[in-house]
Amino acid sequence: MNRLAELRSFDILDTDPEIEMDEIAEMAKAIFNTPISVVSFMDDHRQWYKAKIGVKWSEVPLEDTFCRFTLGTPDETLVILDPLSDKRVHENPFVTAADGIRFYVSAPIVSFQGNVLGTVCAWDHKKHEVKDAQLEALKLLAKRVAISLETRKILKDQNQKIELFGHKLQKLTELSPGALFKLKTDPSAKNIKLDFLSSGISRLIPEADREAILTHPTVFLDWISPNLRFSFLRQFIHSAKCNSSFEMDIPVSLDGKSKIWLWIKARPEFEDGEINYYGTLQDISQKIAHINSLKKFLFDISHKLRAPVAKVKGVIHLIQDENSPETTMEMTPILYRSIDELDQILHQLNHEYSELINFVEDDN
């Protein structure tokens, strides 16, 4: 990545002051005992000051800066002890001015890719002597700025990923059937707090106020049939005590007229003396209707179909008792066995459908 592209990737230009950068400028000022110090970044046309001490302006044209000479020397500090005699800057307006620069030092801020992004610099209107230890300290400050930039970038990338993940997770919760929730309870204090409830609750119960339920979770009990509220609470308490999953079918009355069936299932997890329930609510009205249809079908098998079979058997008994003609007597055992076989089939169907219903109900 070229220098300018990498500089822009940090999103540092034209940002607000930050304590960390201001402190670095303060340390640079203290190291060289100068009235002026800045933390700066250079794009293609200007040097912009992220932090500044002793100057009022926030940027200067790149051609008027001393720091532009660091762009090609990432491993060197720039030291100009006598600007008036230095050919690089002796005609610079900041030197030729009445109170011009007479001492200048800067260390390049070098990215991990080796690009010079800016400088940490200090200058004065009078001459200074410089020690190697001071220059090394200035390099460390510039390195600290580079590390800060890289850290900011990593955090920014992570936050973007987290934001994207959160957006996708929100979409999944919104599109998932039913509603998802996280419930927190403190067994000792008997407190219940609903940390999360997806918008799916509005699809399940159109008249439900999601915010009201989040604020007062017990509002949900108002929709449960009164005769099942005690059972609901008892199973919930049992789940908390035994650290077992909580699962129940709940008939919910809507607008006082219609009724739906909700399936609630939640798994408890203990953390810091509290129990967190992660669970789901789903509409199983169609499933319940299917079970009821199966029950009705079993009723038909047990009562409506078996009744004519019993009548046929009764007729056969009469034929046998009345000494029917010989051919009739010969057919009677066959007919009897056929009817008995049909009766056994009906018993078997009854048994199989009963198991199917039990399986569906247990799975629910």
Side-chain angles (χ1 to χ4, degrees), residues 59 72 322 364:
E59 61 181 60
E322 293 177 0
N364 182 46

Side-chain angles (χ1 to χ4, degrees), residues 44-186:
D44 57 341
H45 66 279
R46 61 171 174 159
Q47 180 182 21
W48 174 77
Y49 299 158
K50 172 66 175 175
K52 58 182 181 178
I53 298 173
V55 292
K56 295 180 179 180
W57 56 89
S58 296
E59 61 181 60
V60 295
L62 189 61
E63 61 269 19
D64 292 338
T65 67
F66 288 23
C67 293
R68 63 192 173 92
F69 297 108
T70 65
L71 293 176
T73 57
D75 299 325
E76 301 177 12
T77 54
L78 175 64
V79 180
I80 302 179
L81 298 177
D82 186 8
L84 287 171
S85 62
D86 192 303
K87 293 181 180 180
R88 294 172 295 181
V89 298
H90 70 283
E91 295 181 351
N92 188 290
F94 289 103
V95 176
T96 59
D99 192 19
I101 298 174
R102 296 297 178 264
F103 166 76
Y104 191 93
V105 61
S106 65
I109 300 169
V110 184
S111 73
F112 290 3
Q113 294 189 24
N115 291 315
V116 176
L117 306 176
T119 62
V120 178
C121 55
W123 69 86
D124 201 345
H125 303 295
K126 63 181 181 179
K127 292 187 176 183
H128 282 254
E129 296 295 327
V130 176
K131 296 180 180 180
D132 290 341
Q134 291 174 299
L135 298 178
E136 288 300 321
L138 190 63
K139 285 183 179 179
L140 290 176
L141 292 181
K143 186 175 182 179
R144 177 174 168 181
V145 174
I147 293 173
S148 176
L149 289 178
E150 296 289 349
T151 302
R152 288 161 57 102
K153 190 174 183 179
I154 291 172
L155 290 176
K156 176 187 173 184
D157 292 343
Q158 289 180 340
N159 288 337
Q160 287 178 340
K161 290 179 181 178
I162 291 172
E163 184 178 352
L164 179 60
F165 177 78
H167 180 70
K168 291 181 177 179
L169 183 60
Q170 182 180 3
K171 284 293 184 182
L172 287 174
T173 57
E174 291 175 353
L175 296 174
S176 63
L180 304 176
F181 66 87
K182 179 191 175 187
L183 184 72
K184 181 184 294 183
T185 177
D186 182 356

Side-chain angles (χ1 to χ4, degrees), residues 55-325:
V55 292
K56 295 180 179 180
W57 56 89
S58 296
E59 61 181 60
V60 295
L62 189 61
E63 61 269 19
D64 292 338
T65 67
F66 288 23
C67 293
R68 63 192 173 92
F69 297 108
T70 65
L71 293 176
T73 57
D75 299 325
E76 301 177 12
T77 54
L78 175 64
V79 180
I80 302 179
L81 298 177
D82 186 8
L84 287 171
S85 62
D86 192 303
K87 293 181 180 180
R88 294 172 295 181
V89 298
H90 70 283
E91 295 181 351
N92 188 290
F94 289 103
V95 176
T96 59
D99 192 19
I101 298 174
R102 296 297 178 264
F103 166 76
Y104 191 93
V105 61
S106 65
I109 300 169
V110 184
S111 73
F112 290 3
Q113 294 189 24
N115 291 315
V116 176
L117 306 176
T119 62
V120 178
C121 55
W123 69 86
D124 201 345
H125 303 295
K126 63 181 181 179
K127 292 187 176 183
H128 282 254
E129 296 295 327
V130 176
K131 296 180 180 180
D132 290 341
Q134 291 174 299
L135 298 178
E136 288 300 321
L138 190 63
K139 285 183 179 179
L140 290 176
L141 292 181
K143 186 175 182 179
R144 177 174 168 181
V145 174
I147 293 173
S148 176
L149 289 178
E150 296 289 349
T151 302
R152 288 161 57 102
K153 190 174 183 179
I154 291 172
L155 290 176
K156 176 187 173 184
D157 292 343
Q158 289 180 340
N159 288 337
Q160 287 178 340
K161 290 179 181 178
I162 291 172
E163 184 178 352
L164 179 60
F165 177 78
H167 180 70
K168 291 181 177 179
L169 183 60
Q170 182 180 3
K171 284 293 184 182
L172 287 174
T173 57
E174 291 175 353
L175 296 174
S176 63
L180 304 176
F181 66 87
K182 179 191 175 187
L183 184 72
K184 181 184 294 183
T185 177
D186 182 356
S188 60
K190 297 182 180 179
N191 292 329
I192 295 178
K193 180 181 179 183
L194 196 58
D195 288 342
F196 174 78
L197 178 64
S198 70
S199 58
I201 189 67
S202 299
R203 292 193 298 271
L204 295 176
I205 308 176
E207 60 194 80
D209 185 336
R210 178 172 170 270
E211 294 301 324
I213 298 176
L214 283 169
T215 305
H216 302 290
T218 53
V219 170
F220 181 74
L221 294 175
D222 295 339
W223 283 288
I224 300 178
S225 299
N227 60 326
L228 288 180
R229 289 175 189 171
F230 178 75
S231 176
F232 177 86
L233 293 172
R234 183 177 60 188
Q235 290 193 40
F236 181 77
I237 294 172
H238 176 77
S239 168
K241 288 183 178 180
C242 300
N243 189 26
S244 58
S245 293
F246 173 72
E247 187 173 355
M248 189 175 180
D249 296 343
I250 306 169
V252 173
S253 299
L254 301 180
D255 55 44
K257 300 177 182 179
S258 58
K259 182 176 73 173
I260 64 170
W261 282 85
L262 296 182
W263 173 62
I264 180 171
K265 184 174 183 179
R267 184 183 65 185
E269 292 184 3
F270 285 85
E271 182 178 353
D272 298 329
E274 294 181 325
I275 306 175
N276 293 318
Y277 277 91
Y278 298 88
T280 180
L281 279 166
Q282 294 187 30
D283 187 345
I284 57 168
S285 300
Q286 290 185 346
K287 194 174 185 179
I288 295 297
H290 180 61
I291 291 175
N292 290 336
S293 296
L294 290 177
K295 288 180 177 179
K296 183 177 182 302
F297 181 71
L298 288 178
F299 176 83
D300 290 340
I301 292 176
S302 301
H303 297 82
K304 294 183 179 180
L305 295 181
R306 294 186 64 185
V309 172
K311 292 180 180 179
V312 171
K313 283 187 175 182
V315 171
I316 293 175
H317 282 299
L318 290 175
I319 293 174
Q320 289 177 328
D321 292 341
E322 293 177 0
N323 299 316
S324 300

